[in-house]
């Protein structure tokens, strides 16, 4: 939760998200484990999860062609 000048963002109401959401995730991210993506997928009704294999935290730099393909298909 972000804090700015003593203010806190309200909690995200995931169930209210109605637009399609692409969760593009790296399979070997040391900072954001795949389990976090799976939890988001369960909480966001219209979410699609695509896992980029053999990739760490910077998946857009490590696998740009695959990421671009997935994003274009999603759009």
């Amino acid at each position: 939760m972000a804090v700015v000048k003593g203010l806190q963002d309200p909690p995200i109401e995931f169930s209210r998200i109605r637009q399609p959401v692409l969760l593009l995730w790296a399979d070997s991210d040391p900072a954001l484990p795949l389990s976090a993506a799976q939890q988001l997928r369960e909480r966001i009704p219209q979410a699609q999860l695509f896992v980029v294999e053999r990739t760490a935290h910077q998946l857009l730099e490590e696998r740009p062609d695959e990421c671009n393909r997935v994003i274009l298909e999603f759009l």
Side-chain angles (χ1 to χ4, degrees):
M1 185 176 298
V3 177
V4 178
K5 296 181 183 180
L7 300 176
Q8 293 184 348
D9 291 334
I12 297 171
E13 295 182 45
F14 293 102
S15 64
R16 295 188 63 197
I17 299 172
R18 295 290 177 233
Q19 64 273 24
V21 173
L22 174 62
L23 301 170
L24 189 59
W25 220 268
D27 70 341
S28 300
D29 191 329
L32 297 167
L34 186 54
S35 60
Q38 293 163 335
Q39 290 175 4
L40 282 173
R41 168 58 196 102
E42 292 172 5
R43 296 180 74 182
I44 301 172
Q46 298 296 323
Q48 298 175 34
L49 173 59
F50 185 86
V51 179
V52 181
E53 296 181 1
R54 302 178 314 277
T55 309
H57 189 69
Q58 297 179 330
L59 65 158
L60 295 172
E61 292 180 15
E62 295 175 45
R63 301 259 185 250
D65 293 338
E66 185 173 1
C67 291
N68 285 334
R69 179 185 58 76
V70 170
I71 292 168
L72 286 173
E73 287 176 8
F74 176 77
L75 294 175

